């Protein structure tokens, strides 16, 4: 395998409504910053790929307009996935394995505020059995949380988890929710969709991010400190929610095994868990114990630009390696309802 | 126009309604089509896999091995709740306008659960393990909403 490193990452601050910015305006500063910090001249980038969702804006081929943020003239080699940007990164990683190019720009963006995001996401579900019932994403998150609670866990565990994430988010300048909450205050709040309290759910976020991947010796020339991708894999659960045990994440465990995440001692771990119980489910699947700092960014519970939140996990983990805070990290991204698809990668510092 | 230089004020932001529609028509095929046809008759069928498991609602393949299924078999219209969530304030799109439960329901004779809504007086009357029964609409058209909702079954012996 050809060694590939994350050399730079940039993200916008997540906000509830970026009313005065369209997707391109959200993207331009982060794309420019990621390229500038990579040391690779824009015209030398070999491959450009994005992850986004046409359902958010309700416009077919909405991602094409996103290309205005990268400048597609003279013509560039470009691709797109209708998934979180983490899967765009996977495609870029595969593309770099071909060996004929050395660098790739990966970006993703989401304006979740354009509609009722939890309802919009219900229309991406199975069109025969699920979509006609409009089971919104918060309701499905609640069902998964119930399964997890039924498997022998308590709401007090969620209270601790939420409180800890908020503490981390309070020092993250890009986070949307930065207000601390103690476990007692959490437990005193009413359910919005039982068993979920508002603090178990992600905020509605608008945001964007970009990172640059560089392979082999070309990467070593970029910087003295890089976040090397030591392993990456993604797996999917069966199609129907009702054939799965929602209290565990089999596909995360499979992806973790295949990319080596189960065999390493990570310093930090960034898990893409829009709902609080999902974070606990993912920790269990990846065998994360108390020695690992989980979601030092605050996670998707505190900022959730849909389609970018997974790539942000990889970027956050890589940034902490690049700045020397950590040497080894696990990053995870999810897509679909109730942790349907999961991507895991292992990052390690070095030159 | 804005009075503050280049900064946009609230009144400068143009808004237009955009109705999200994806008006695809889909064919249901031999398995989902049969499931829908049976719903119209007030019955529920599942897919039997080669290993003998019954998947409801049915898929054309075994979700774990991807093998073809071994035909469709009838299952009960009653079953047990395997997970649930209580919706305090239903949205206009939700299947019921009063507070209700979403539930994964394992019908008798099935090995998997299906998602639907449960009508109940309050969240305290819903629980994992509770028995529920499908309430069909009187006018049915071969659609998942031919089941209006599930309701809690009265316990036979207390």
């Amino acid at each position: 395998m050809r060694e590939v490193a994350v050399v730079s990452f940039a993200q916008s601050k997540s906000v509830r409504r970026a009313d005065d910015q369209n997707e391109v305006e959200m993207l331009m500063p982060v794309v420019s910053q990621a390229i500038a910090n990579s040391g690779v001249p824009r015209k030398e980038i070999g491959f450009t790929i994005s992850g986004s969702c046409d359902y958010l804006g309700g416009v077919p081929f909405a991602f094409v307009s996103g290309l205005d943020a990268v400048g597609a003239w003279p013509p560039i080699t470009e691709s797109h996935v209708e998934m979180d940007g983490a899967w765009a990164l996977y495609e870029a990683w595969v593309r770099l394995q071909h060996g004929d190019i050395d660098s790739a720009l990966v970006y993703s963006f989401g304006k979740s505020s354009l509609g009722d995001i939890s309802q919009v996401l219900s229309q991406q579900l199975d069109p025969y059995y699920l979509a006609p019932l409009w089971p919104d994403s918060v309701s499905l998150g609640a069902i998964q949380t119930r399964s997890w609670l039924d498997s022998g866990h308590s709401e007090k565990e969620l209270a601790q988890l939420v409180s800890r994430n908020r503490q981390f988010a309070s020092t993250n300048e890009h986070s949307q929710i930065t207000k601390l909450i103690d476990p007692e205050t959490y437990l005193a709040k009413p359910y919005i969709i039982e068993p979920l309290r508002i603090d178990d759910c992600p905020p509605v976020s608008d945001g964007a991010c970009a990172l640059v991947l560089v392979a082999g010796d070309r990467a070593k020339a970029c910087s003295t400190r890089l976040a090397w991708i030591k392993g990456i894999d993604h797996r999917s659960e069966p199609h129907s929610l009702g054939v799965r045990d929602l209290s565990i994440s089999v596909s995360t465990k499979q992806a973790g095994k295949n990319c080596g995440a189960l065999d390493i001692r990570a310093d930090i771990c960034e898990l893409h868990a829009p709902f609080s119980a999902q974070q606990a489910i993912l920790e269990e699947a990846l065998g994360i114990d108390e020695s690992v700092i989980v979601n030092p960014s605050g996670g998707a519970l505190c900022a959730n630009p849909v389609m970018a939140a997974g790539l942000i996990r990889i970027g956050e983990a890589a940034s902490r390696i690049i700045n020397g805070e950590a040497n080894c990290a696990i990053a995870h991204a999810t897509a679909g309802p109730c942790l349907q698809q999961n991507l895991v990668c292992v990052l390690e510092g070095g030159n | 126009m804005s009075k503050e230089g280049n900064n946009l004020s609230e009144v400068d932001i143009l808004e237009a309604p955009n109705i999200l529609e994806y008006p695809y028509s889909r064919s249901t095929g031999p398995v989902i089509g049969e499931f829908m046809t049976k719903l119209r008759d007030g019955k529920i069928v599942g897919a039997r896999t080669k290993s003998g498991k019954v998947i409801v609602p049915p898929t054309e393949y075994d979700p774990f091995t991807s093998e073809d299924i071994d035909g469709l078999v009838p299952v009960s219209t009653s079953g047990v709740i395997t997970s649930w969530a209580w919706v305090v304030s239903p949205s206009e799109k939700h299947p019921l306008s009063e507070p209700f439960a979403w539930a994964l329901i394992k019908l008798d004779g099935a090995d998997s659960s299906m998602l639907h809504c449960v009508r109940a007086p309050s969240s305290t009357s819903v629980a994992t393990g509770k028995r529920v029964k499908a309430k069909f609409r009187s006018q049915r058209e071969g659609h998942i909403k031919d089941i209006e909702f599930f309701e809690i079954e009265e316990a036979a012996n207390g």
Side-chain angles (χ1 to χ4, degrees), chain B residues 13 23-24 26 59 62 69 88 90 96 107 133 135 139 146:
Chain B
I13 296 165
Y24 300 118
R26 294 181 163 88
T59 47
D62 182 325
I69 58 162
V88 180
L96 295 172
L107 297 171
K133 184 170 179 54
K135 165 81 167 53
Q139 296 282 325
D146 284 351

PDB file of all heavy atoms in Angstrom, chain B residues 13 23-24 26 59 62 69 88 90 96 107 133 135 139 146:
ATOM      1  N   ILE B  13     -32.145  39.927   2.958  1.00  0.00           N
ATOM      2  CA  ILE B  13     -32.032  38.508   2.630  1.00  0.00           C
ATOM      3  C   ILE B  13     -33.299  38.049   1.925  1.00  0.00           C
ATOM      4  O   ILE B  13     -34.396  38.125   2.455  1.00  0.00           O
ATOM      5  CB  ILE B  13     -31.775  37.675   3.899  1.00  0.00           C
ATOM      6  CG1 ILE B  13     -30.423  38.093   4.489  1.00  0.00           C
ATOM      7  CG2 ILE B  13     -31.785  36.187   3.582  1.00  0.00           C
ATOM      8  CD1 ILE B  13     -30.204  37.636   5.898  1.00  0.00           C
ATOM      9  N   PRO B  23     -40.642  13.056  -7.108  1.00  0.00           N
ATOM     10  CA  PRO B  23     -41.826  12.304  -7.555  1.00  0.00           C
ATOM     11  C   PRO B  23     -41.474  11.104  -8.437  1.00  0.00           C
ATOM     12  O   PRO B  23     -41.910  10.989  -9.570  1.00  0.00           O
ATOM     13  CB  PRO B  23     -42.621  13.357  -8.328  1.00  0.00           C
ATOM     14  CG  PRO B  23     -41.565  14.274  -8.882  1.00  0.00           C
ATOM     15  CD  PRO B  23     -40.401  14.245  -7.914  1.00  0.00           C
ATOM     16  N   TYR B  24     -40.652  10.217  -7.885  1.00  0.00           N
ATOM     17  CA  TYR B  24     -40.322   9.006  -8.625  1.00  0.00           C
ATOM     18  C   TYR B  24     -41.488   8.025  -8.530  1.00  0.00           C
ATOM     19  O   TYR B  24     -42.166   7.955  -7.522  1.00  0.00           O
ATOM     20  CB  TYR B  24     -39.091   8.326  -8.036  1.00  0.00           C
ATOM     21  CG  TYR B  24     -37.850   9.172  -8.044  1.00  0.00           C
ATOM     22  CD1 TYR B  24     -37.228   9.532  -6.864  1.00  0.00           C
ATOM     23  CD2 TYR B  24     -37.300   9.603  -9.249  1.00  0.00           C
ATOM     24  CE1 TYR B  24     -36.084  10.310  -6.864  1.00  0.00           C
ATOM     25  CE2 TYR B  24     -36.155  10.383  -9.254  1.00  0.00           C
ATOM     26  CZ  TYR B  24     -35.555  10.734  -8.061  1.00  0.00           C
ATOM     27  OH  TYR B  24     -34.430  11.492  -8.067  1.00  0.00           O
ATOM     28  N   ARG B  26     -42.079   3.937  -8.540  1.00  0.00           N
ATOM     29  CA  ARG B  26     -41.246   2.749  -8.406  1.00  0.00           C
ATOM     30  C   ARG B  26     -42.100   1.504  -8.627  1.00  0.00           C
ATOM     31  O   ARG B  26     -43.252   1.466  -8.228  1.00  0.00           O
ATOM     32  CB  ARG B  26     -40.647   2.684  -6.999  1.00  0.00           C
ATOM     33  CG  ARG B  26     -39.664   3.792  -6.702  1.00  0.00           C
ATOM     34  CD  ARG B  26     -39.109   3.607  -5.295  1.00  0.00           C
ATOM     35  NE  ARG B  26     -37.894   4.369  -5.092  1.00  0.00           N
ATOM     36  CZ  ARG B  26     -37.860   5.631  -4.666  1.00  0.00           C
ATOM     37  NH1 ARG B  26     -38.972   6.262  -4.405  1.00  0.00           N
ATOM     38  NH2 ARG B  26     -36.712   6.250  -4.502  1.00  0.00           N
ATOM     39  N   THR B  59     -37.613  -8.878   2.266  1.00  0.00           N
ATOM     40  CA  THR B  59     -36.664  -8.404   1.255  1.00  0.00           C
ATOM     41  C   THR B  59     -36.500  -9.522   0.231  1.00  0.00           C
ATOM     42  O   THR B  59     -36.855 -10.671   0.501  1.00  0.00           O
ATOM     43  CB  THR B  59     -35.297  -8.081   1.891  1.00  0.00           C
ATOM     44  OG1 THR B  59     -34.924  -9.161   2.759  1.00  0.00           O
ATOM     45  CG2 THR B  59     -35.366  -6.805   2.696  1.00  0.00           C
ATOM     46  N   ASP B  62     -31.650 -12.695   1.492  1.00  0.00           N
ATOM     47  CA  ASP B  62     -31.321 -12.867   2.903  1.00  0.00           C
ATOM     48  C   ASP B  62     -30.402 -11.713   3.322  1.00  0.00           C
ATOM     49  O   ASP B  62     -29.323 -11.544   2.745  1.00  0.00           O
ATOM     50  CB  ASP B  62     -30.606 -14.225   3.071  1.00  0.00           C
ATOM     51  CG  ASP B  62     -30.264 -14.537   4.524  1.00  0.00           C
ATOM     52  OD1 ASP B  62     -29.948 -13.595   5.279  1.00  0.00           O
ATOM     53  OD2 ASP B  62     -30.289 -15.721   4.890  1.00  0.00           O
ATOM     54  N   ILE B  69     -34.223 -15.579  -1.365  1.00  0.00           N
ATOM     55  CA  ILE B  69     -35.095 -16.115  -0.324  1.00  0.00           C
ATOM     56  C   ILE B  69     -35.799 -17.373  -0.835  1.00  0.00           C
ATOM     57  O   ILE B  69     -35.786 -17.679  -2.029  1.00  0.00           O
ATOM     58  CB  ILE B  69     -36.129 -15.071   0.140  1.00  0.00           C
ATOM     59  CG1 ILE B  69     -36.977 -14.581  -1.038  1.00  0.00           C
ATOM     60  CG2 ILE B  69     -35.444 -13.939   0.866  1.00  0.00           C
ATOM     61  CD1 ILE B  69     -38.246 -13.909  -0.627  1.00  0.00           C
ATOM     62  N   VAL B  88     -43.684  13.109  21.698  1.00  0.00           N
ATOM     63  CA  VAL B  88     -44.486  14.002  22.539  1.00  0.00           C
ATOM     64  C   VAL B  88     -45.299  14.965  21.679  1.00  0.00           C
ATOM     65  O   VAL B  88     -46.491  15.191  21.933  1.00  0.00           O
ATOM     66  CB  VAL B  88     -43.561  14.788  23.507  1.00  0.00           C
ATOM     67  CG1 VAL B  88     -44.381  15.732  24.384  1.00  0.00           C
ATOM     68  CG2 VAL B  88     -42.746  13.831  24.365  1.00  0.00           C
ATOM     69  N   PRO B  90     -46.189  15.291  17.829  1.00  0.00           N
ATOM     70  CA  PRO B  90     -46.093  14.805  16.451  1.00  0.00           C
ATOM     71  C   PRO B  90     -46.008  15.954  15.442  1.00  0.00           C
ATOM     72  O   PRO B  90     -46.607  17.016  15.660  1.00  0.00           O
ATOM     73  CB  PRO B  90     -47.403  14.020  16.262  1.00  0.00           C
ATOM     74  CG  PRO B  90     -47.863  13.692  17.634  1.00  0.00           C
ATOM     75  CD  PRO B  90     -47.410  14.824  18.500  1.00  0.00           C
ATOM     76  N   LEU B  96     -49.660   9.767  13.051  1.00  0.00           N
ATOM     77  CA  LEU B  96     -50.737  10.040  14.009  1.00  0.00           C
ATOM     78  C   LEU B  96     -50.600  11.479  14.508  1.00  0.00           C
ATOM     79  O   LEU B  96     -49.494  12.003  14.652  1.00  0.00           O
ATOM     80  CB  LEU B  96     -50.674   9.064  15.186  1.00  0.00           C
ATOM     81  CG  LEU B  96     -50.935   7.581  14.847  1.00  0.00           C
ATOM     82  CD1 LEU B  96     -50.646   6.689  16.048  1.00  0.00           C
ATOM     83  CD2 LEU B  96     -52.363   7.375  14.350  1.00  0.00           C
ATOM     84  N   LEU B 107     -43.402  -9.491  14.808  1.00  0.00           N
ATOM     85  CA  LEU B 107     -44.686 -10.195  14.693  1.00  0.00           C
ATOM     86  C   LEU B 107     -44.507 -11.679  15.007  1.00  0.00           C
ATOM     87  O   LEU B 107     -43.425 -12.243  14.754  1.00  0.00           O
ATOM     88  CB  LEU B 107     -45.255 -10.001  13.276  1.00  0.00           C
ATOM     89  CG  LEU B 107     -45.585  -8.546  12.914  1.00  0.00           C
ATOM     90  CD1 LEU B 107     -45.926  -8.425  11.446  1.00  0.00           C
ATOM     91  CD2 LEU B 107     -46.728  -8.009  13.779  1.00  0.00           C
ATOM     92  N   LYS B 133     -51.130  -5.247  18.344  1.00  0.00           N
ATOM     93  CA  LYS B 133     -51.844  -5.847  17.206  1.00  0.00           C
ATOM     94  C   LYS B 133     -52.092  -4.774  16.149  1.00  0.00           C
ATOM     95  O   LYS B 133     -52.409  -3.634  16.477  1.00  0.00           O
ATOM     96  CB  LYS B 133     -53.177  -6.416  17.701  1.00  0.00           C
ATOM     97  CG  LYS B 133     -53.961  -7.163  16.606  1.00  0.00           C
ATOM     98  CD  LYS B 133     -55.137  -7.914  17.196  1.00  0.00           C
ATOM     99  CE  LYS B 133     -55.930  -8.649  16.118  1.00  0.00           C
ATOM    100  NZ  LYS B 133     -55.128  -9.551  15.280  1.00  0.00           N
ATOM    101  N   LYS B 135     -53.863  -2.556  13.472  1.00  0.00           N
ATOM    102  CA  LYS B 135     -55.223  -2.085  13.175  1.00  0.00           C
ATOM    103  C   LYS B 135     -55.206  -1.643  11.709  1.00  0.00           C
ATOM    104  O   LYS B 135     -54.518  -0.690  11.343  1.00  0.00           O
ATOM    105  CB  LYS B 135     -55.551  -0.918  14.102  1.00  0.00           C
ATOM    106  CG  LYS B 135     -56.745  -0.086  13.704  1.00  0.00           C
ATOM    107  CD  LYS B 135     -58.051  -0.740  14.137  1.00  0.00           C
ATOM    108  CE  LYS B 135     -59.234   0.221  14.043  1.00  0.00           C
ATOM    109  NZ  LYS B 135     -59.400   0.875  12.744  1.00  0.00           N
ATOM    110  N   GLN B 139     -60.451   1.110   4.232  1.00  0.00           N
ATOM    111  CA  GLN B 139     -60.136   1.295   2.806  1.00  0.00           C
ATOM    112  C   GLN B 139     -58.639   1.048   2.618  1.00  0.00           C
ATOM    113  O   GLN B 139     -57.824   1.822   3.106  1.00  0.00           O
ATOM    114  CB  GLN B 139     -60.451   2.740   2.378  1.00  0.00           C
ATOM    115  CG  GLN B 139     -61.914   3.123   2.469  1.00  0.00           C
ATOM    116  CD  GLN B 139     -62.714   2.576   1.294  1.00  0.00           C
ATOM    117  OE1 GLN B 139     -62.208   2.494   0.192  1.00  0.00           O
ATOM    118  NE2 GLN B 139     -63.959   2.183   1.543  1.00  0.00           N
ATOM    119  N   ASP B 146     -51.645   1.016   4.926  1.00  0.00           N
ATOM    120  CA  ASP B 146     -52.878   0.239   5.116  1.00  0.00           C
ATOM    121  C   ASP B 146     -53.007  -0.186   6.576  1.00  0.00           C
ATOM    122  O   ASP B 146     -54.107  -0.400   7.080  1.00  0.00           O
ATOM    123  CB  ASP B 146     -52.877  -1.010   4.231  1.00  0.00           C
ATOM    124  CG  ASP B 146     -53.162  -0.669   2.769  1.00  0.00           C
ATOM    125  OD1 ASP B 146     -53.518   0.497   2.500  1.00  0.00           O
ATOM    126  OD2 ASP B 146     -53.023  -1.564   1.916  1.00  0.00           O
TER     127      ASP B 146
END
